[in-house]
Amino acid sequence: MTIKEAHEHCLEKLKSIYEEGEATAITELVLEHLTRTGKTERRFQLASKLSNEKKIQFMEILQRLQTHEPVQYVLNEAWFCGLKFYVDKNVLIPRPETEELVEWIISGCKFPIDTLSILDIGSGSGCIPIALKKRLGKADVWSCDVSSEALKVANLNAVTLGINVNFIEFNFLNEPEREKLPSFDIIVSNPPYIPQKDKENMRRNVTDHEPATALFVPDNDALIFYKAIAAFGKNHLTGNGVIYMEINESLGEETAAMFQLNGYKTVIKKDMQGKDRMIKAALIDL
C-alpha cells in the first residue's frame, strides 16, 4: 500500500462518518503520524510504500476511527498553544476555544512578572496550566482535578514538556477541601457545563468517548461549578485577583448574573465564532 493509496482509502472510509473537510483533516493527521512527514513533504512521496508494520498500524487506526473514536485519542496526541499533549479517554481533548481563554489571561497580565499565583480548576490533560506556565515563566501555577487518571495524564505532559505545575487531587465541589487552599492572583477553569438534557443533540465522537464527568452537569443545577468558584473566590482571590472561565454559550448572561449577585463585576467575551464563550469576574471593592 502506497501513501497515496492509504490516503484515498482513509478518506473514503471517513467520509461516511464525517463531512468531507473534517474527514480530510483527520486523514492528514493519520498520515502525518504514520510517516512523520508534513503535508508538503508527503506530496513528493505519494508513491512510497508503507512497511508491513505501518500498514498494520494504519488499518488498526482506521478501524478505531470508524467507531467515531476521536483521532486525538487514537493517535494519543493533540496540539494546544503550540505544544503537543498526550491525551487519552481519561481527559477532554483540548479545543481551540480554550486556547483563546489562555490568550485572554495572558493579555491581562502585567509584564514583567515578578510574582504571580494561578489556580486552574479541572486539570484534564493539563493543557491550560502547562500553557500558562510556559508563557508566564515566573508564575506559581497550581491545578486540581477530582480524577486521579486525569492527573496522571497531566503530570505526564508536564514532565514531557519540562514544565513545573503543582497538580493536586481533590473534589473542588467539596467546600472543606477547597478552603484549605491558599489565595491566588488568577483563578481559571474550563469546568463541566453541559446539562444532561443536551447530550442527545451532541456528536457520538464526544458522547461515546470523552469523559462524561468533565462534560456534564445536572439539568437542575447547570452552574454548580461556577457557584463553587464564585464562593471560593470571595476568600481566595488576592486584592486585584481575577477569575477567568470558559462558559456554556447559551448560559452566558445567567452565569454573569450569578457572579454579579455574589459581588463580582463581569465581562463576557465571544470566541472567534462569535459565541459567548468566556467570562472574566473580579470582586467589586466595597
Side-chain angles (χ1 to χ4, degrees):
M1 177 182 285
T2 65
I3 290 177
K4 181 180 179 181
E5 289 170 339
H7 187 283
E8 291 173 347
H9 183 62
C10 187
L11 185 58
E12 179 186 358
K13 294 296 184 182
L14 294 183
K15 278 164 56 174
S16 64
I17 301 173
Y18 299 100
E19 293 181 2
E20 185 169 355
E22 190 168 3
T24 300
I26 294 172
T27 298
E28 295 294 349
L29 287 172
V30 170
L31 269 297
E32 181 176 332
H33 179 82
L34 283 173
T35 65
R36 297 301 175 187
T37 59
K39 184 177 180 180
T40 301
E41 188 177 350
R42 284 197 304 279
R43 288 180 182 176
F44 302 99
Q45 300 178 358
L46 295 178
S48 299
K49 287 192 173 185
L50 296 176
S51 66
N52 286 335
E53 182 183 354
K54 292 291 185 182
K55 183 179 178 180
I56 293 171
Q57 187 181 359
F58 170 71
M59 298 308 294
E60 290 174 346
I61 288 172
L62 186 55
Q63 185 176 24
R64 290 175 64 182
L65 289 172
Q66 287 179 279
T67 69
H68 296 264
E69 186 175 358
V71 64
Q72 293 89 344
Y73 289 160
V74 176
L75 305 181
N76 290 128
E77 60 186 40
W79 287 87
F80 184 85
C81 291
L83 301 170
K84 186 166 76 172
F85 286 81
Y86 172 89
V87 293
D88 62 24
K89 64 181 181 180
N90 295 297
V91 300
L92 289 183
I93 297 166
R95 262 75 169 180
E97 296 86 352
T98 309
E99 291 187 350
E100 294 183 58
L101 179 66
V102 168
E103 292 299 331
W104 195 21
I105 294 169
I106 292 169
S107 70
C109 292
K110 294 180 180 179
F111 294 89
I113 291 172
D114 184 17
T115 59
L116 183 69
S117 58
I118 301 174
L119 172 66
D120 166 61
I121 300 164
S123 311
S125 65
C127 63
I128 292 176
I130 289 172
L132 287 172
K133 178 64 176 177
K134 175 74 172 179
R135 297 280 295 277
L136 305 171
K138 288 187 177 181
D140 183 23
V141 182
W142 296 50
S143 183
C144 64
D145 204 293
V146 69
S147 167
S148 60
E149 294 303 314
L151 287 171
K152 288 178 184 177
V153 173
N155 272 298
L156 173 63
N157 282 318
V159 171
T160 301
L161 293 166
I163 306 295
N164 183 30
V165 174
N166 303 305
F167 289 106
I168 49 178
E169 180 183 346
F170 73 91
N171 181 0
F172 190 79
L173 294 180
N174 184 318
E175 184 175 357
E177 281 193 72
R178 68 176 185 249
E179 285 304 313
K180 296 176 183 177
L181 291 172
S183 294
F184 298 92
D185 300 305
I186 295 173
I187 296 171
V188 55
S189 184
N190 177 19
Y193 56 64
I194 304 172
Q196 286 283 347
K197 60 182 175 59
D198 292 350
K199 183 176 182 178
E200 60 188 36
N201 299 318
M202 296 172 64
R203 295 172 59 174
R204 281 185 57 193
N205 61 316
V206 176
T207 58
D208 289 1
H209 297 282
E210 298 201 57
T213 55
L215 291 168
F216 299 107
V217 287
D219 291 337
N220 64 352
D221 199 2
L223 300 183
I224 183 171
F225 282 93
Y226 299 94
K227 292 174 182 176
I229 292 169
F232 177 78
K234 287 183 178 182
N235 298 319
H236 294 271
L237 274 178
T238 57
N240 296 313
V242 185
I243 300 173
Y244 293 87
M245 294 156 293
E246 194 166 318
I247 59 174
N248 186 323
E249 64 186 82
S250 64
L251 297 173
E253 294 299 332
E254 189 175 337
T255 306
M258 183 277 295
F259 271 92
Q260 290 161 12
L261 284 173
N262 279 276
Y264 293 83
K265 54 185 177 183
T266 61
V267 176
I268 294 176
K269 185 175 176 63
K270 296 183 183 297
D271 62 17
M272 287 187 292
Q273 298 177 4
K275 298 177 179 179
D276 289 346
R277 181 63 61 192
M278 296 157 273
I279 191 169
K280 177 170 68 173
L283 287 167
I284 299 172
D285 293 329
L286 299 177

